[in-house]
């Protein structure tokens, strides 16, 4: 790998994301030689930490995520980290930061390259972007900015944030990160669709009946009640992760695999995204909230959550497009906290075909994203010694060793930022479409709230609200994973 000179500034350097994801990922990139001698990382946050203390934190973060560590490498790696106590609202602090970045740029010959990483509470993103511009923090080499989700909380606020960021950065230099796009099995969707004649030939709305995307979590909101109250499952999981998955499933074939062609194909699809009307929302969308048990809190009892909160911890719904290979075909999704088990999966349900064996039979293609990685196709054959049809799975699996080699999504995506590959990042025009869709659902739910209609309460550690079983277009449809 080529060594890429850069000074990286992480806003939120004392935070959980930096500790759990960014520092270990950067260490792995360091070990592979992508960043080596000519880099420095400035961690910023309000706390009065020292460089030394940050380095200890970085070292702890690496130890916590690696079973074996080369201690010499780690010590040298950590020595490239600097801490700057920073109040994002204070103009003078940006001056200090700018001077430190320049000093480190000289010391490490970073060639004026900068990466700014927004890894803190989203309410500060706009302000930071504004100050990067007003205080001229960008430099003479490449200037890239990585923005964590959520990018706004509706279309209007996203537009405002985008305006603030584009004052200093071109669209090509804005990396709106969605960690699902760094997951192995999400990156497997296009190769699966495009390289298998067996699959490619059935990838159309006359053969596929529906697609079902399930992102189920076992955990509740834990300590994130404050954030979650302002978000809910729709903004937290659907606006980004679920929509990105659906886009990859439904987009037309890209001309080639360049970032430009992939984004162009995505855009073609998203221009035909069908925005549901009120009646469709009432029929095809369900929101839920988990109840407590003897040993767990219900959502409304969680810390920093209002006692009468209507924030949804579960949502199921339907997406349709007017164009593309799956035009007009329902794509169902659901996601929730405190579900039976952690399971991220995609079920592609093929239409039934009546046949000489009496019953109508079909095939499903299932992609398991987490916690295991797997693809399987359900096929039919004959039962041994008795009449009838037996169903078996043909599986594409990974060995334990292979699973162990799969890099964390953040490592992959950070790598992409360094090498300027924006294939697996969200383009502004995509995001705009996602927000348009989300906004109408939020508005409909707001009206429901005003009419006293609350999210359906569901028992924890099951499959979510019962009403989620009734969102389908036709009575012959049901959740394949239940
Ligand atoms: C995050 C959400 O984006 O994704 C969290 O904010 C959620 O609420 C998480 O728990 C799930 O990610 P993963 O990779 O564990 O499926």
């Amino acid at each position: 790998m080529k060594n890429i000179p850069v000074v990286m500034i992480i806003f939120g350097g004392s935070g959980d994301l930096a500790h759990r994801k960014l520092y270990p990922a950067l260490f792995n990139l360091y070990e592979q030689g992508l960043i080596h001698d000519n880099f420095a990382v400035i961690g910023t946050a309000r706390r009065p930490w020292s460089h030394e203390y940050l380095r200890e934190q970085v070292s702890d973060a690496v130890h916590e995520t690696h079973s074996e560590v080369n201690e010499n490498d780690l010590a040298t790696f950590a020595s490239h980290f600097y801490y700057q106590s920073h109040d994002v609202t204070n103009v003078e602090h940006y001056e200090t930061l700018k001077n430190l970045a320049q000093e480190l740029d000289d010391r490490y010959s970073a060639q004026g390259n900068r990466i700014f990483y927004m890894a803190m509470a989203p309410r500060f993103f706009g302000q930071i972007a504004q100050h990067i511009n007003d205080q001229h923090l960008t430099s003479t080499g490449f200037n890239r900015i990585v923005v964590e989700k959520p990018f706004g909380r509706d279309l209007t606020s996203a537009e405002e944030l985008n305006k603030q960021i584009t004052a200093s950065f071109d669209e090509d230099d804005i990396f709106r990160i969605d960690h699902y796009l760094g997951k192995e099995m999400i990156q497997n969707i296009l190769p699966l669709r495009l390289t298998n004649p067996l699959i490619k030939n059935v990838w159309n709305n006359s053969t596929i009946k529906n697609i079902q995307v399930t992102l189920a979590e076992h955990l509740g909101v834990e300590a994130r009640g404050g954030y979650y109250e302002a978000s809910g499952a729709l903004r937290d999981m659907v606006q980004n992760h679920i929509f990105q998955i659906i886009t990859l499933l439904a987009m037309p074939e890209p001309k080639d695999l360049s970032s430009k062609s992939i984004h162009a194909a995505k855009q073609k699809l998203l221009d035909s995204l069908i925005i549901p009307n009120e009646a469709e929302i009432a029929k095809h969308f369900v929101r839920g909230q988990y109840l407590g048990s003897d040993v767990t809190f219900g959502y409304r009892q969680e810390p920093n959550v209002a006692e009468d909160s209507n924030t949804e911890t579960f949502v199921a719904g339907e997406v349709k497009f007017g164009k593309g290979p799956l035009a007009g075909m329902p794509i169902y999704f659901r996601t929730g906290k405190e579900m039976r088990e952690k399971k991220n999966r995609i079920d592609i349900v093929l239409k039934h075909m009546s046949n000489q064996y009496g019953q109508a039979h079909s095939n499903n293609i299932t992609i398991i994203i987490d916690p295991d990685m797997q693809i399987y196709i359900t096929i039919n054959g004959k039962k041994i010694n008795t009449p009838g049809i037996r169903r078996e799975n043909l599986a594409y699996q990974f060995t334990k060793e292979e699973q162990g080699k799969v890099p964390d999504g953040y490592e992959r995506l950070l790598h992409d930022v360094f090498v300027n590959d924006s294939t697996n990042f969200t383009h502004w025009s995509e995001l705009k479409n996602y927000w348009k869709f989300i906004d109408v659902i939020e508005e409909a739910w707001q009206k429901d709230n005003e009419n006293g209609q609350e999210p359906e309460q569901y028992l924890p550690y099951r499959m979510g609200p019962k009403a989620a079983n009734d969102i389908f277009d036709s009575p012959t449809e049901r959740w394949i994973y239940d």
Side-chain angles (χ1 to χ4, degrees):
M1 264 192 218
K2 198 168 135 242
N3 176 20
I4 299 197
V6 68
V7 173
M8 183 168 181
I9 300 173
I10 301 180
F11 294 95
S14 65
D16 188 55
L17 177 73
H19 191 90
R20 280 188 311 113
K21 297 289 183 185
L22 304 185
Y23 298 151
L26 284 169
F27 179 66
N28 291 344
L29 297 178
Y30 174 79
E31 287 288 68
Q32 293 158 47
L34 185 73
I35 44 175
H36 221 260
D37 299 324
N38 311 107
F39 85 97
V41 180
I42 306 175
T44 79
R46 284 178 74 133
R47 303 171 196 196
W49 283 6
S50 63
H51 300 323
E52 214 29 67
Y53 190 73
L54 173 65
R55 289 171 193 157
E56 281 169 26
Q57 291 298 310
V58 168
S59 173
D60 288 351
V62 171
H63 280 125
E64 284 159 24
T65 45
H66 292 66
S67 48
E68 272 174 47
V69 179
N70 178 327
E71 296 297 337
N72 282 339
D73 285 4
L74 179 55
T76 322
F77 169 74
S79 73
H80 288 251
F81 282 72
Y82 295 82
Y83 186 77
Q84 181 61 53
S85 173
H86 181 87
D87 170 358
V88 293
T89 62
N90 187 326
V91 177
E92 281 163 30
H93 287 193
Y94 289 87
E95 285 298 323
T96 319
L97 195 56
K98 181 169 144 183
N99 294 338
L100 177 60
Q102 192 49 52
E103 187 190 320
L104 295 175
D105 194 307
D106 295 340
R107 188 177 315 163
Y108 290 98
S109 309
Q111 300 177 15
N113 294 333
R114 299 268 194 282
I115 293 175
F116 300 87
Y117 199 118
M118 299 225 198
M120 57 191 308
R123 65 178 185 280
F124 298 120
F125 292 172
Q127 205 162 27
I128 299 171
Q130 189 89 50
H131 284 297
I132 290 177
N133 190 49
D134 296 349
Q135 271 67 59
H136 310 291
L137 259 73
T138 53
S139 187
T140 52
F142 68 65
N143 289 283
R144 299 179 189 146
I145 185 162
V146 187
V147 191
E148 274 293 333
K149 61 162 269 269
F151 196 98
R153 69 179 316 273
D154 52 21
L155 181 58
T156 311
S157 56
E159 274 170 339
E160 176 62 24
L161 176 58
N162 204 49
K163 215 160 84 196
Q164 287 164 315
I165 296 179
T166 47
S168 307
F169 298 90
D170 293 337
E171 176 63 29
D172 286 351
D173 295 320
I174 305 171
F175 292 78
R176 297 178 194 83
I177 199 162
D178 180 326
H179 78 283
Y180 267 65
L181 288 178
K183 285 183 189 271
E184 182 71 16
M185 297 312 280
I186 307 286
Q187 296 198 347
N188 229 322
I189 294 175
L190 284 187
L192 179 75
R193 279 186 53 189
L194 304 181
T195 66
N196 295 294
L198 186 69
I199 292 174
K200 187 173 158 141
N201 286 326
V202 299
W203 208 268
N204 56 60
N205 54 8
S206 33
T207 316
I208 301 179
K209 183 173 184 176
N210 65 54
I211 292 187
Q212 308 178 2
V213 179
T214 302
L215 304 185
E217 296 192 75
H218 192 64
L219 295 175
V221 294
E222 301 197 291
R224 294 169 79 220
Y227 154 76
Y228 206 79
E229 276 286 88
S231 158
L234 190 66
R235 290 193 180 95
D236 188 45
M237 297 293 284
V238 182
Q239 183 272 333
N240 34 67
H241 311 322
I242 286 191
F243 257 117
Q244 280 293 353
I245 295 174
I246 290 178
T247 304
L248 285 167
L249 292 165
M251 67 196 254
E253 291 184 16
K255 199 165 84 233
D256 52 48
L257 297 179
S258 66
S259 172
K260 202 162 160 242
S261 300
I262 289 186
H263 283 293
K266 284 185 169 181
Q267 198 49 49
K268 215 164 158 189
L269 172 78
L270 291 172
D271 286 341
S272 77
L273 175 63
I274 297 172
I275 305 289
N277 62 30
E278 266 184 39
E280 287 160 341
I281 296 173
K283 162 109 187 69
H284 299 295
F285 288 78
V286 166
R287 56 180 178 153
Q289 208 178 52
Y290 61 80
L291 288 163
S293 70
D294 292 349
V295 285
T296 55
F297 286 142
Y299 177 67
R300 289 181 177 177
Q301 286 88 51
E302 297 279 15
N304 301 318
V305 170
E307 276 171 24
D308 58 352
S309 171
N310 276 338
T311 302
E312 75 289 353
T313 60
F314 174 99
V315 51
E318 181 192 53
V319 176
K320 281 184 181 172
F321 297 97
K323 293 210 176 112
L326 309 181
M329 196 204 84
I331 303 178
Y332 302 110
F333 67 81
R334 63 192 159 157
T335 181
K337 302 269 184 202
E338 297 213 354
M339 305 272 288
R340 191 177 63 215
E341 58 178 346
K342 169 78 183 173
K343 186 70 84 180
N344 291 341
R345 61 184 273 167
I346 303 164
D347 293 288
I348 295 125
V349 183
L350 271 58
K351 286 185 179 162
H352 289 83
M353 235 173 43
S354 58
N355 55 56
Q356 294 75 354
Y357 287 84
Q359 280 169 282
H361 293 100
S362 81
N363 303 112
N364 302 329
I365 304 168
T366 296
I367 305 172
I368 310 276
I369 304 162
D370 287 316
D372 317 314
M373 300 180 302
Q374 215 189 116
I375 301 167
Y376 58 84
I377 304 182
T378 312
I379 65 156
N380 307 304
K382 83 172 257 312
K383 281 187 177 160
I384 304 170
N385 250 350
T386 45
I389 292 297
R390 110 182 198 181
R391 283 169 83 67
E392 289 291 333
N393 293 340
L394 291 182
Y396 176 98
Q397 283 163 326
F398 299 83
T399 62
K400 272 242 146 15
E401 202 194 338
E402 283 172 326
Q403 303 232 15
K405 280 194 192 143
V406 172
D408 180 71
Y410 272 94
E411 179 182 336
R412 248 187 201 139
L413 296 173
L414 267 178
H415 172 269
D416 292 347
V417 176
F418 280 104
V419 301
N420 202 19
D421 179 352
S422 50
T423 314
N424 288 310
F425 291 83
T426 309
H427 201 278
W428 168 241
S429 49
E430 290 158 30
L431 194 76
K432 244 174 33 185
N433 283 294
Y434 298 158
W435 274 128
K436 275 186 203 157
F437 189 100
I438 298 297
D439 281 359
V440 299
I441 313 288
E442 289 289 355
E443 271 164 35
W445 286 350
Q446 196 51 43
K447 275 199 198 150
D448 287 349
N449 290 343
E450 284 155 18
N451 296 331
Q453 242 176 292
E454 300 188 346
E456 182 179 328
Q457 308 284 311
Y458 60 92
L459 290 172
Y461 311 120
R462 310 264 178 93
M463 288 309 283
K466 290 204 178 61
N469 296 326
D470 301 324
I471 65 164
F472 299 104
D473 279 9
S474 97
T476 63
E477 293 174 299
R478 59 175 185 83
W479 294 108
I480 293 299
Y481 166 64
D482 60 6

